[in-house]
Structure formats: structure tokens, C-alpha cells
Amino acid sequence: TDPDMADKTYIEPLTPQSLEKIIKKEKPDGLLPNLGGQTGLNLAASLYKSGVLEKYGVELIGVRADAIERGEDRITFKETMDKLGISVPKSAPCHSVEEAEEIAKRLKYPVVLRPAYTLGGTGGGIAYNVEELRTIVNRGLAASLIHQVLVEESVLGWEELELEVVRDEKNQKITVCFIENVDPMGVHTGDSFCVAPMLTVPRSLQNRMQELSYRIVDAIGVVGGTNIQFAHNLEDDRLVVIEINPRTSRSSALASKATGFPIARISTKLAAGVTMDEIPYWKEGTLEKYEPSGDYVVVKFARWAFEKFPQAQDILGTQMKAVGEVMSIGKTFKEAFQKAIRSLEIKRYGLGVKEFRALSPEQLKKNLSIPSSERIFLMYEALRRGSSIEELYQLTHIGKWFIKEMKELVEFEEEILGYPWNRLPGEKLIKAKELGFSDRYLAELFNIKEREVRQKRISLGKQAGFDAVPVSGVENASYYYSTYIGEDKVGVSKKKKVMILGGGPNRIGQGIEFDYTCVHAAFALRDEDYESIMVNCNPETVSTDYDTSDKLYFEPLTVEDVLTIYEKEKPEGVIVQFGGQTPLNIARELQDNGVNILGTTPESIRFAEDRERFREKVISLNMLQPESGTARSLEEAVEIANGIDYPLIVRPSFVLGGRGMEIVYDEEMLRKYAREAIKISPE
């Protein structure tokens, strides 16, 4: 909605009525709906069906109106697949709860319920019995634009695989990205941990899916990007199409950043009539020759906010519950996986979680059987206790290869813990870094300072190198990632430069508003003839577009990772004040390690973020404020509370969006709160 993003910008409700008024005034030649997600498709379908587009002579580009229906309407989609002879799960649509009950009887429970024309699995779910069916169908019918829910046979536990395909007007087709979901069917793709390229899927199966995908996009007639989701049964090799998105989606953003292929940009050009043989490709000349390639692995991991909703159940299903995600790049799965974990900003810098060691074997097994935001960490603890790969596979249906990779990390961790820190052999520390273990996590394991790990690592000559992800469809563009495997292949310029720290994963209270300010910081630096260097790990953002800054590092926002880039690039300084809470929390430590913080100083940040310092500053200014006190222990909190009296507002320091804030009404509530708050505040 920036005024200079388009020639004309209307800040208006996204309704058919307001759009008709704008169309009448502007008389556009075309309408491009498939880059605006589900909202864009739903509005375009409505404008087409009501005759508005025909009335004003507006051409629908990028996707035909009937293609929207074939992709989004569950009945039409099934009929289209039947005509093409492509397998889909057994299913039938319903328009009432009674119809759903009849269909579920035939298909047998559990059944998957998918409302038509919705986003992120909204209104859907898995029903294991008739009571659950009634609840979910009622919700789904209300959420669906056309009051329709598909009742589908369960393919729970099958592996879920996705292809991101692009087609042009000449019927030239390419596969931008093959995405392997590590979580099995039953967990929404937005919540699922996934990798690109596919690491365990045979080439023959990838070819089968590509051939089916090309037949689907031909039949549907999408010009631009389409996301196609498959379920594959490892036991009998049955392959079915789950759904297609005839538009760019959350997966498109991930696929773009994972491969260096700007899907939205290319889709727009294709919708305007340009064809792929007219667009440059850094590797083979023109874009119709594109094939995904690269000597790196990408991992996407979701970010949840269950801590904001104490009453919500931490159970993952077919409705998306993630509020954001991170993407990491490494030379191996292990390296990228561990980078993804420390990118999440959940105060975990590796896979081991101390509090899970207190779980009984029965509780651990019970927790593992339910998909949740904690399941990967619980698996790590189970492997530490000796659970077998087969046992964990039967409990989770997560691929055995991925469990084996985790097991190797656990075994190495246990091996190095056999040494005291001062006797840890240098080659073990070097190997730990190559396996993706962070300095902070190693410091926690050995109960020492992170600085000690960094100093020992550097004394051994082990520093991260960098490599590039080349961008397709444009000339001479790349972005960069760190690795402890191999040499540094990325040069630095002699220009004056400034580094910007982004906001990391979206979460409640920290989202695109902070990305917006980081992007404008990059633009302003460019205008002032500084080289702008962006550091971020969120694939959904504009700041991680290759052309927003002069140089993009797709990296976690931790002290270790930021320092590594700072020492390489030697910028004039780092801006931390635009990325929300994320960079603010590490500003002081960065400064202590020699980083020049530009703009708001860490001291000023501390005055604003530290509740005690802020209170003292307000007192010194003779300004009124609510009676308060700062506690660093449970006993202190109880004493202060008794002095002020209940009810009270309690809130930790250095948090955003009210995270961890609560109203407490008595001492029992306060004690319960204090135990949780210790985990939230960095202080």
C-alpha cells in the first residue's frame, strides 16, 4: 500500500462492490488475481460470475475463471481429476451435516473434512467419530464461500509431497521446486517441517509427480505458478493428488526463496504475455530450460504462538495453526536443520530441551504420539534415551531417514559430553560445527559462556564460510548463506556499507510492520549511496527478496550468525531498531563483541525495555505511573504483590506484543505465572 509501489493505489475494502467502483473509474484492460492468495481468487470468481468483468471489458489474466473453479471447488476438482485419470482420495462433497454423516459411513472413520474456497485449511479437520464430524462440518460449511465441504477418505500417515510448477501461454512448463514434507499427512503443510530438494523421494516418483502436475496445469490452464500437493503411501506405492492451488501461495514464497526463482515476478510477466523463452536464465540461457539445482539443503520450520493462548491445545492437524515460519540454508540436512531451530527465536539453540528429561517414559511416548509444536524436540529426547528408529517411525510416521539423521546428532552430542570442556579435542569441536551445533547450544551443554566456545573455535581456525544462491530470471543476482563445510566463496565490496537486522519469523505482535521498516531502511541507505546488507531468515517477507537490499544474507538472527557476517563485511555499523524485539534482544551482546550499533543505542533500548530502569527514569522525571516493583525471584514477586495488593498486571522485560503479560488475582496465580515468566524474559 505504499504510494510508490504502483502507479495508483486504492486503500479500499476488498469486496466485489468496492472493486466494481474502481473498475468503473479506472477501466483496466486486465485483472491479475492469482498473486493475492485466496482473497484474490475469491474476488475474481465473484466479479466474473456477477458479470462485472464482462460489463467493463476486463480480461482475467494469469488464470481462467473456470480454472479457479476447477482448482477451488471440491466437486469440479474431483471431476477434472477423474477426466484426466489421475487418482484422488475417495471422497464426496456435502452441503449439510446429514449428507456428511452418510458419506462418512461409506468411507469409514477417520475422515478428512475440507471446506471449498478457504485458506490454510480454515474450517476443516479430521473426524474420528460422528460427534467430531458434526462439529467440524458445521464450522466448515460456515467458512466455505459456497457452503460446501468435501468428506474424504483418510490418508493419515502417508508422506506429503509438493511441487511448485510454472506454465506459460506457449504451454511451456517447468518445476521450480520439489518440496518434501517431513511431517506426514494429517499435519497441514503450513505447520509441517519440510525440506527442499526432496531428500528421500526416489527420482522415479519425482518424475511421476511432475508428469501428473504438468497434465493438471494443462487441463486447468493456469499461466504462472501453481502448487500441487500429493500423498504417497510407502507401503503400496499408491500416489494421489490432494489438492492444487491455482495461484501463488505460502509454499510459493518458500519455493522462491529456496531456489532463487522469483515466482511472483515471473508469474506476472507470464500473465502479461511474456513467455519463458524470452526470460534470461543464469545457467542455460532462457527460463524454459530451468531445472532446480544447487549444492545446498533448505529447511522450513513453523513458528507457533501457543504460549499466547493457554487454553488452546498444542495439537497439529489439517487446520493451519502456525503464525510464521523460518527458512534456513546449509550444505547438509543436519546443518540446515540446526540453523532452522536457532532461527525460531524460542530460546532454543539446539534440539535438546532440559525440561523434557524429567518426563516419564510413558508420558514421553504419549506426547510423541500426538503431532504438536514440541514433537521434534520430544523425538530428540526419546532418541537420547535409546528409542529405536523403527519405534519412533511407528509413533510419528516421520521418515526413517530423518529420524536416523537426528539419531546421529544425539549420538554425537552424547559423545562430546563425555569430555570436560577444557579437554574436548579440537577435532570434536570442528565436527560439531560442521554438524550444525551452534556456539550458544555448545555453551549450554558444557555450562560455559558462548564467548569461550567462539574463542576456542576461532583459535582452531574454524570460521563459517559463505556461498551463494543464484537468482533465476534476472541477470547477475544472488543471495547468501553461511556454512561450516567448505570454503568461503563470497567476495566483499570496498563500498561504505550498513547492516540491517530483520525481524525473524512472524509471530503475534511482531509481523510485517517491522519488515516494512527494514525494507525502507534498505531503500534509504541505497539513496544515500551506502551498500545495504540485510540479515533475515523469514521466507514470507519482502526483506528476503533478492532485490530489496544490495546484499541479502539468509541467516538466523543470533549473536553467532550476525557476528560472522559483521566480521566478514566490516560495515560502518548495524541498525537494530527496525526489526522488532528480535535484534533489540541481542543488541547489547553485539555491542559487547565490538559491533557498532547505529541509531538508538543499546543503553537507550535498555531504558525502554527493562521495566525496572524505565520505572526509575519515570520517577526521576517526576511523572506519575502505577505503583510497581521489579522481581527477579518468586519470593521477591510475592513480597512486592503483597505490598501493592491484588489484582495486579505482571509483565516480563524485553518482550513484544504483550507476550507473557497477565492479570493475576491472587498469590496462587502469581506463583504459577512466575514459573512460566522465567522462560520468557531474557533477564
Side-chain angles (χ1 to χ4, degrees):
T1 52
D2 268 12
D4 56 351
M5 284 302 290
D7 296 310
K8 272 197 177 176
T9 302
Y10 285 86
I11 298 186
E12 289 291 317
L14 284 161
T15 64
Q17 295 76 22
S18 64
L19 288 177
E20 183 175 0
K21 289 175 190 172
I22 297 165
I23 288 168
K24 183 180 178 181
K25 178 177 168 58
E26 292 291 342
K27 298 179 174 57
D29 296 302
L31 176 69
L32 179 61
N34 52 335
L35 300 178
Q38 198 65 51
T39 304
L41 282 188
N42 290 354
L43 286 166
S46 178
L47 291 168
Y48 174 79
K49 284 177 181 173
S50 65
V52 169
L53 299 183
E54 187 180 1
K55 179 180 175 181
Y56 295 103
V58 181
E59 183 186 349
L60 203 56
I61 60 173
V63 59
R64 298 198 303 259
D66 61 339
I68 298 174
E69 193 174 353
R70 282 201 291 271
E72 298 290 336
D73 184 300
R74 300 293 177 181
I75 302 173
T76 314
F77 171 69
K78 188 169 181 287
E79 287 170 354
T80 305
M81 294 305 104
D82 287 344
K83 281 178 192 168
L84 292 171
I86 294 174
S87 243
V88 293
K90 294 170 194 161
S91 63
C94 73
H95 297 89
S96 70
V97 174
E98 293 72 28
E99 269 188 276
E101 287 181 30
E102 287 303 313
I103 297 162
K105 265 187 203 172
R106 293 198 307 270
L107 293 177
K108 310 290 185 213
Y109 289 97
V111 290
V112 178
L113 303 161
R114 300 179 186 276
Y117 289 89
T118 62
L119 186 69
T122 302
I126 301 167
Y128 291 87
N129 53 53
V130 71
E131 288 77 19
E132 290 178 0
L133 180 99
R134 287 169 184 160
T135 303
I136 298 168
V137 171
N138 266 316
R139 186 177 69 205
L141 291 171
S144 172
L145 186 73
I146 59 170
H147 203 68
Q148 180 199 98
V149 171
L150 190 76
V151 184
E152 186 179 271
E153 74 165 312
S154 166
V155 287
L156 292 178
W158 293 22
E159 59 182 354
E160 185 161 10
L161 310 167
E162 297 177 67
L163 271 66
E164 198 71 35
V165 173
V166 170
R167 175 183 175 272
D168 68 13
E169 288 284 7
K170 282 188 178 176
N171 210 23
Q172 298 175 117
K173 298 172 287 289
I174 57 173
T175 303
V176 173
C177 192
F178 294 82
I179 300 171
E180 179 174 3
N181 285 273
V182 178
D183 285 297
M185 288 296 300
V187 175
H188 190 278
T189 54
D191 289 328
S192 180
F193 156 32
C194 65
V195 296
M198 292 179 174
L199 298 178
T200 73
V201 180
R203 173 54 59 186
S204 57
L205 179 55
Q206 293 185 44
N207 291 341
R208 269 170 73 195
M209 289 188 291
Q210 181 171 266
E211 188 262 326
L212 293 176
S213 299
Y214 287 176
R215 284 169 57 195
I216 290 166
V217 293
D218 278 349
I220 286 179
V222 180
V223 171
T226 302
N227 172 261
I228 298 136
Q229 296 168 19
F230 294 89
H232 177 244
N233 189 344
L234 285 164
E235 291 182 14
D236 62 9
D237 202 31
R238 186 180 166 206
L239 180 70
V240 296
V241 176
I242 297 299
E243 67 176 13
I244 68 157
N245 292 306
R247 55 175 167 81
T248 52
S249 62
R250 185 196 58 263
S251 291
S252 307
L254 172 67
S256 290
K257 305 294 168 72
T259 59
F261 189 107
I263 293 172
R265 176 186 289 255
I266 299 299
S267 292
T268 305
K269 289 184 176 186
L270 300 183
V274 178
T275 54
M276 284 190 271
D277 52 4
E278 299 173 89
I279 301 172
Y281 172 39
W282 64 273
K283 197 173 179 185
E284 298 286 346
T286 50
L287 208 54
E288 84 283 3
K289 300 184 185 79
Y290 172 90
E291 284 187 359
S293 61
D295 59 345
Y296 58 86
V297 174
V298 165
V299 168
K300 181 216 89 175
F301 211 94
R303 174 71 151 80
W304 294 274
F306 289 109
E307 75 279 355
K308 291 264 188 180
F309 306 101
Q311 307 305 314
Q313 284 189 303
D314 184 355
I315 297 175
L316 306 181
T318 60
Q319 281 198 88
M320 182 176 164
K321 294 183 179 176
V323 294
E325 60 190 36
V326 297
M327 186 188 104
S328 64
I329 312 173
K331 285 294 180 191
T332 64
F333 169 72
K334 289 185 180 81
E335 184 175 53
F337 182 30
Q338 300 228 70
K339 278 175 90 172
I341 298 303
R342 70 176 183 265
S343 298
L344 289 169
E345 295 171 45
I346 54 173
K347 308 216 178 306
R348 292 180 187 170
Y349 298 88
L351 288 153
V353 179
K354 281 180 183 173
E355 61 241 48
F356 291 161
R357 297 191 181 190
L359 291 174
S360 68
E362 296 73 28
Q363 190 62 49
L364 185 60
K365 190 172 181 179
K366 182 185 174 188
N367 292 356
L368 276 167
S369 65
I370 302 163
S372 71
S373 66
E374 299 283 26
R375 186 153 76 169
I376 290 295
F377 303 100
L378 290 163
M379 288 173 71
Y380 200 76
E381 178 59 28
L383 287 164
R384 188 193 305 281
R385 297 189 192 183
S387 290
S388 70
I389 292 170
E390 182 61 34
E391 186 182 356
L392 286 183
Y393 173 71
Q394 293 301 331
L395 276 170
T396 66
H397 289 284
I398 285 172
K400 293 177 186 177
W401 184 87
F402 296 105
I403 301 173
K404 177 182 73 70
E405 290 282 298
M406 289 175 67
K407 186 171 191 283
E408 287 168 7
L409 288 174
V410 172
E411 286 170 350
F412 183 77
E413 184 178 315
E414 290 299 303
E415 182 187 340
I416 60 172
L417 284 172
Y419 299 91
W421 171 251
N422 57 5
R423 290 189 190 164
L424 181 70
E427 65 269 17
K428 296 295 181 190
L429 179 55
I430 288 169
K431 188 178 177 187
K433 296 308 297 179
E434 290 172 352
L435 289 173
F437 287 91
S438 69
D439 288 355
R440 176 74 174 265
Y441 186 65
L442 290 168
E444 289 172 0
L445 287 178
F446 287 98
N447 201 25
I448 57 172
K449 300 279 187 194
E450 183 180 351
R451 183 179 290 218
E452 292 178 61
V453 179
R454 183 160 55 249
Q455 287 169 346
K456 183 167 182 174
R457 166 171 63 76
I458 291 169
S459 74
L460 292 167
K462 196 62 178 173
Q463 290 177 283
F466 291 87
D467 210 338
V469 177
V471 178
S472 301
V474 292
E475 303 277 6
N476 303 319
S478 296
Y479 45 92
Y480 308 98
Y481 65 97
S482 70
T483 177
Y484 281 93
I485 302 165
E487 59 193 47
D488 193 342
K489 299 177 184 175
V490 176
V492 295
S493 77
K494 292 182 179 176
K495 284 184 72 175
K496 55 182 184 176
K497 56 188 85 160
V498 170
M499 207 160 131
I500 305 159
L501 301 190
N506 287 357
R507 68 212 84 161
I508 295 170
Q510 181 164 321
I512 56 170
E513 66 277 18
F514 294 105
D515 194 68
Y516 174 84
T517 54
C518 290
V519 167
H520 278 271
F523 293 163
L525 287 168
R526 190 178 293 171
D527 291 344
E528 296 300 319
D529 204 30
Y530 281 87
E531 181 179 319
S532 58
I533 298 168
M534 186 73 69
V535 184
N536 205 356
C537 56
N538 186 339
E540 302 170 287
T541 56
V542 179
S543 66
T544 53
D545 280 358
Y546 72 91
D547 57 351
T548 295
S549 54
D550 296 306
K551 207 165 187 181
L552 165 65
Y553 284 93
F554 223 112
E555 289 292 293
L557 288 147
T558 69
V559 171
E560 175 185 348
D561 298 288
V562 172
L563 271 181
T564 302
I565 301 163
Y566 185 84
E567 285 160 6
K568 176 183 174 63
E569 290 285 349
K570 298 180 172 53
E572 297 197 8
V574 176
I575 298 173
V576 300
Q577 69 202 61
F578 296 129
Q581 201 65 46
T582 302
L584 297 186
N585 286 347
I586 60 171
R588 184 62 179 266
E589 201 172 341
L590 289 173
Q591 187 183 54
D592 291 346
N593 280 282
V595 172
N596 181 31
I597 305 295
L598 301 175
T600 307
T601 65
E603 289 72 27
S604 299
I605 291 166
R606 201 169 184 83
F607 266 122
E609 296 289 334
D610 185 312
R611 306 282 179 195
E612 189 171 19
R613 283 189 172 209
F614 180 73
R615 175 173 167 270
E616 287 166 359
K617 178 62 76 176
V618 172
I619 290 168
S620 73
L621 294 169
N622 291 319
M623 295 170 71
L624 290 175
Q625 62 179 326
E627 191 180 346
S628 63
T630 304
R632 285 187 164 80
S633 70
L634 179 56
E635 290 68 32
E636 277 184 44
V638 170
E639 190 180 329
I640 292 165
N642 289 335
I644 299 172
D645 209 3
Y646 296 94
L648 300 164
I649 293 177
V650 285
R651 43 188 166 190
S653 294
F654 290 92
V655 297
L656 191 74
R659 185 175 181 222
M661 295 186 191
E662 209 166 301
I663 300 170
V664 298
Y665 293 92
D666 53 39
E667 186 176 318
E668 186 186 343
M669 265 188 89
L670 178 64
R671 287 180 178 277
K672 182 172 183 257
Y673 167 85
R675 284 192 291 272
E676 290 301 312
I678 290 163
K679 300 175 193 172
I680 293 166
S681 175
E683 299 296 293

